[in-house]
Amino acid sequence: MSINETSRAYGAQKSAIREISAYAGARKAQIGAENVFDFSLGNPSIPAPDEVRASIERALALPATQLHGYTPANGLPAAREAVAASLRRRFGDDAAQAGDLYLTCGAAASLSISFNAVVNPGDEVIVIAPYFPEYRVWIETAGAACVEVMADPATFQVDVDAVAAAVSERTKAVVINSPNNPVGSVYSRENLAALAAALHDAEERLGTAIYLVADEPYREITYGAEVPWVPGVYDRTIVCYSYSKSLSLPGERIGWVLVPPTNPEHDDLLLAVAGAGRKLGFVCAPALFQRVLVDCVDVPSDVAAYAENRAALTEGLLRLGYEFIEPEGAFYLWVKALEPDAERFFERAKELELLPVPSDSFGCPGWVRVGYCVSHETIVNSMPAWEQLAASYRQEA
């Protein structure tokens, strides 16, 4: 074959989330958007803050060569300093310096760069299931094997004993995502401390280095839970961040990789991150939105709107008898399917124009992810369909 077979296979293996979103778009065109309850895509319905527009308008007054010109490969010094200063204000003086950051085209680039910076062919990377499905693609593309370890089924915290049992001499990294997509759980400080201890024990036992890759695009979207600063718990941490959710900028692709000063391989790892960015072509993140970061790095997320949606969805589904995990962060509800086969449950929901995402693609059977970053009206108006769905199962009991 004259093309890359691996790339062709990834292209043929469609994303369940994207496929359902595309189906929702077609159905909205056919029967009206108000009649389709699309809970598939994590696409914020909350507008970007006014400060973002103001920053863009100011930037448009710059000379064209400055506005649209190349930045350094790792990002504008002013943008990196703005991010680092924000991190120091929030997490302490040793959180970050400007030179510790590599600006990226969003979380996908941040994670791809991080995996390519640390893994070699034949290595393994552990993910905590349920997990964002693209992790597997990025890990395998970096040349490593993706090893799934189920979270604690009762709490959806990290099952530390299960992770410890899965670690081998080939384990190079563990990925954590807190607040979590798809569950909405936030890993507690105690849970992370236990994980850190287990990883240090494994490093000493096996004579290897194990990195903790903290994927944190939902850090700012919480409902009272503390999101621990992971580098303060585990030294060999890499932090990946995106402003897609916190500033409602999913289409603008701006984020960063942080190699904290406390990381034992700091200097070499920074070079590896820069080299991975170069190797993958992830250099010079969008210049306009680097400038937006300078102005908006501390602008808060509109969590109140998501909290209102969360309350409407959880209270409504609770009245109808559905079981779910109460989300502490992000904007997804992890709902127990009314039968063991989540795909079949989804197809039944689909007949009522309800479009959650079945859990199989997240590496966990028997659940669906319901994204509540939609309009409040969509949640309220979907309740009769959820009721019909539950009633159809009761009739068969």
Side-chain angles (χ1 to χ4, degrees), residues 153 156 317 321-325 333-340 342 345 359 364-370 386 389 393:
F156 285 91
L317 293 187
Y322 286 91
E323 297 179 33
F324 51 81
I325 301 300
L333 188 66
W334 194 237
V335 179
K336 187 76 171 172
L338 298 179
E339 62 173 289
F345 175 76
S359 62
C364 179
W367 300 77
V368 292
R369 187 191 78 170
V370 182
W386 287 108
L389 182 61
Y393 278 94

Side-chain angles (χ1 to χ4, degrees), residues 179-186 326-332 334:
N180 177 262
N181 172 16
V183 178
S185 53
V186 172
E326 188 79 21
E328 297 177 291
F331 41 55
Y332 307 105
W334 194 237

Side-chain angles (χ1 to χ4, degrees), residues 63-355:
T65 53
Q66 187 176 349
L67 173 61
H68 300 299
Y70 284 122
T71 72
N74 61 350
L76 287 166
R80 288 184 285 119
E81 177 51 40
V83 173
S86 175
L87 295 175
R88 290 195 298 272
R89 285 192 294 272
R90 298 166 67 191
F91 305 117
D93 290 342
D94 63 347
Q97 298 297 323
D100 303 328
L101 288 151
Y102 188 99
L103 300 191
T104 67
C105 295
S110 297
L111 289 159
S112 295
I113 286 170
S114 297
F115 296 141
N116 277 272
V118 299
V119 306
N120 292 294
D123 286 342
E124 296 176 349
V125 176
I126 292 173
V127 297
I128 310 301
Y131 63 97
F132 184 58
E134 297 304 285
Y135 287 173
R136 176 175 291 278
V137 177
W138 302 328
I139 289 166
E140 291 177 349
T141 301
C146 180
V147 177
E148 297 179 359
V149 174
M150 277 299 303
D152 184 308
T155 65
F156 285 91
Q157 295 282 299
V158 177
D159 186 333
V160 174
D161 290 341
V163 171
V167 170
S168 74
E169 65 277 0
R170 292 191 299 275
T171 301
K172 183 57 69 72
V174 177
V175 185
I176 57 171
N177 175 215
S178 175
N180 177 262
N181 172 16
V183 178
S185 53
V186 172
Y187 300 149
S188 70
R189 185 172 296 276
E190 293 75 18
N191 189 223
L192 291 176
L195 176 63
L199 294 182
H200 280 311
D201 286 348
E203 286 181 320
E204 186 174 347
R205 184 178 74 254
L206 299 170
T208 59
I210 302 174
Y211 296 92
L212 195 54
V213 178
D215 179 26
E216 300 192 344
Y218 300 94
R219 168 174 279 280
E220 272 58 65
I221 303 174
T222 64
Y223 312 101
E226 178 212 359
V227 182
W229 179 238
V230 180
V233 181
Y234 186 73
D235 54 355
R236 201 169 271 113
T237 293
I238 304 169
V239 184
C240 298
Y241 190 81
S242 163
Y243 294 89
S244 293
K245 316 303 181 182
S246 59
L247 291 180
S248 293
L249 296 173
E252 310 308 339
R253 319 311 300 156
I254 188 73
W256 43 259
V257 177
L258 170 68
V259 179
T262 50
N263 193 302
E265 283 80 40
H266 177 270
D267 292 353
D268 286 338
L269 188 51
L270 268 178
L271 292 174
V273 164
R278 181 182 183 186
K279 179 172 68 174
L280 295 168
F282 289 139
V283 296
C284 184
L288 174 59
F289 282 86
Q290 291 190 45
R291 291 185 168 87
V292 169
L293 295 190
V294 176
D295 296 330
C296 301
V297 69
D298 286 324
V299 173
S301 299
D302 187 1
V303 178
Y306 295 129
E308 184 181 4
N309 282 1
R310 171 178 174 262
L313 184 62
T314 56
E315 290 167 11
L317 293 187
L318 190 62
R319 282 195 301 270
L320 296 175
Y322 286 91
E323 297 179 33
F324 51 81
I325 301 300
E326 188 79 21
E328 297 177 291
F331 41 55
Y332 307 105
L333 188 66
W334 194 237
V335 179
K336 187 76 171 172
L338 298 179
E339 62 173 289
D341 189 332
E343 292 282 349
R344 204 162 61 181
F345 175 76
F346 164 73
E347 290 297 332
R348 202 146 161 179
K350 186 178 173 184
E351 294 174 5
L352 298 169
E353 308 300 342
L354 284 172
L355 299 173

